[in-house]
Amino acid sequence: MEPGDVRESVAETAEEIAAMEVRGAATIAREAVEALRDQATESTAGDAETLRMELQTAARRLRETRPTAVSLPNALRFVLERMEGDDLESLRASVVTTADEFLERLDRAQADLGRIGANRLQDGDTVMTHCHSTDVLACIETAREQGKELDAVVKETRPRKQGHLTAKQLRDLGVPVTLIVDSAATRYIEDVDHVFVGADSIRADGSVVNKIGTRGLAVLARDVGTPVTVAAQTLKLDPDTFAGHAVEIENRADEEVIDEETRSDLGEVEVANPAFDVTPPRHVDAVVTERGLFPPEGIVALMRELYGTTPTRPWEEGET
Ligand code: RUB
C-alpha cells in the first residue's frame, strides 16, 4: 500500500456493505468504523496530513455504499469530527481511541435501549416483526432475560428474506416463531399485541425510514389498534433532515426481485425494487432509544439536543 492509498480492507468492507453481506443500520455503522480504525493503524502515511486525507477518502468510499441508513454517515462523522493531532502518531492514536469509544457507545446504547424496550413487553405477549433489526432483538432478548414468555410472528420480508435471520435468532432466544409471507400480515395482525420494527433513519418530523413494507404494516396495525414500537438508538436520527435534506431511498437491483429466466418468461415488464419506505409519525406509537421512550413528535427536540445546529459532513472536506 502506498501512502495516500485506502487500505484494501476498507475497499472490502465497502464492497461487503454494498452487496449486503454486512447489513442492518447498526451493523454497517460498526463495520465502517472498524474499517476507519484499520486504515489508521495500518496506514503507511508519512505525516498527519496524508493520514487525514486517507481517512476522508476511506470515509467517502464507505459512505457511498448505501444511501439510506443514516447510522453510516453518523458513525463516520463521529470519528472524523473528534480525531485530533498535529503529528502522525497522535492523529493515529486519536482515531483508534475515538473508534473504540464509538464501538463501546454503540454496544451500550443497544443494551440501554433493550432495557427500555423490554418494558413495553408483558409476559405472554406476541410480537410481530419485519425485516431484521438488532435494536428490536435487543428489546426481546432483555424481556426474555427478565423471564417473560413471548411469541413472535415474523414477516419473511421480500425480496431478501431478512425475516429468516430474525426467526432464527428469536428461536435461539427461546421465542416460538410463526414465519409468514409478507402479505399474510393482515391475517395475523389481530393475533399480536405489538409490532416492533427497527429504523435506518428517523427524520426530524418523527417519520421512520425502514425496510420496505414497514409503512403498510404500521397502517395495518393502526387500523386494528395494535401499538407500533420503533426500536432505534439515537445513531439512527438523521441530523441533515433538520436542515431540510431528504432521506434518499435506495433502489436495488431487479435481480433481487426476479431471476433472468422469470424475466424472459414475463417479457417486457418494469421491475421496481425500493429497499425502504417512510412511515409517517401518525402511524408510530413510540420510538425507543437509549435515551428513553419518545413519541415520534418528540424526536425533533431530542435531535436538537444531540446535534444542535446543522452538522458538518467531514468526509466532504477533502473534496474540491
Ligand atoms: C435492514 C433494516 C433494519 C434496520 C435496523 O435493512 O431495515 O430494520 O436497518 O436494523 P437491510 P438495526 O437489510 O436492507 O440493511 O436495528 O440492526 O440497526
Side-chain angles (χ1 to χ4, degrees), residues 26-302:
T27 309
I28 61 181
R30 172 188 304 281
E31 298 269 336
V33 165
E34 285 174 356
L36 274 191
R37 186 182 56 189
D38 290 349
Q39 179 72 36
T41 51
E42 289 167 31
S43 167
T44 55
D47 53 51
E49 199 187 324
T50 307
L51 177 57
R52 219 175 266 278
M53 199 185 70
E54 287 176 8
L55 289 161
Q56 276 164 2
T57 307
R60 265 200 304 282
R61 183 91 176 258
L62 292 159
R63 170 73 188 93
E64 283 160 9
T65 53
R66 294 195 76 191
T68 304
V70 74
S71 51
L72 179 57
N74 280 350
L76 296 168
R77 179 185 281 133
F78 185 96
V79 177
L80 294 198
E81 282 186 350
R82 285 170 177 77
M83 67 185 187
E84 55 188 13
D86 295 331
D87 62 275
L88 178 64
E89 289 317 319
S90 56
L91 179 61
R92 198 194 304 272
S94 139
V95 172
V96 172
T97 309
T98 310
D100 288 345
E101 186 192 332
F102 174 84
L103 297 169
E104 198 191 311
R105 280 197 196 197
L106 190 70
D107 289 340
R108 205 177 332 124
Q110 199 162 69
D112 290 348
L113 170 157
R115 275 191 291 278
I116 296 164
N119 292 334
R120 305 270 290 166
L121 298 167
Q122 304 296 315
D123 188 32
D125 277 353
T126 301
V127 182
M128 186 179 281
T129 66
H130 185 61
C131 198
H132 172 264
S133 157
T134 54
D135 283 348
V136 167
L137 286 162
C139 301
I140 296 177
E141 183 172 5
T142 308
R144 289 288 299 133
E145 284 163 5
Q146 293 167 346
K148 294 172 186 167
E149 295 295 333
L150 301 171
D151 285 273
V153 176
V154 172
K155 290 179 71 204
E156 173 187 45
T157 316
R158 278 276 289 154
R160 295 187 69 107
K161 299 185 180 160
Q162 291 93 328
H164 291 188
L165 203 53
T166 304
K168 223 165 169 228
Q169 292 185 1
L170 287 173
R171 285 297 305 126
D172 290 345
L173 293 174
V175 177
V177 168
T178 304
L179 181 71
I180 59 169
V181 296
D182 295 313
S183 47
T186 333
R187 155 71 182 78
Y188 286 92
I189 192 71
E190 277 161 299
D191 300 346
V192 307
D193 303 288
H194 289 275
V195 166
F196 262 68
V197 291
D200 283 82
S201 280
I202 300 188
R203 301 200 309 207
D205 68 353
S207 49
V208 173
V209 184
N210 192 47
K211 181 55 55 192
I212 190 85
T214 301
R215 180 177 183 164
L217 177 58
V219 169
L220 177 64
R222 177 48 51 100
D223 186 44
V224 297
T226 304
V228 175
T229 300
V230 175
Q233 46 188 297
T234 56
L235 186 66
K236 318 288 179 64
L237 304 185
D238 187 342
D240 284 348
T241 60
F242 228 9
H245 289 287
V247 173
E248 185 183 340
I249 301 293
E250 177 182 14
N251 283 301
R252 295 195 58 88
D254 298 2
E255 290 70 32
E256 290 186 349
V257 180
I258 52 169
D259 57 26
E260 273 313 308
E261 200 185 326
T262 315
R263 182 184 274 284
S264 55
D265 279 356
L266 293 180
E268 273 295 296
V269 290
E270 282 283 327
V271 175
N273 186 19
F276 301 98
D277 62 20
V278 183
T279 303
R282 66 181 180 279
H283 296 308
V284 174
D285 289 271
V287 181
V288 175
T289 75
E290 76 278 16
R291 297 273 189 131
L293 185 133
F294 293 82
E297 296 78 10
I299 286 297
V300 66
L302 178 61

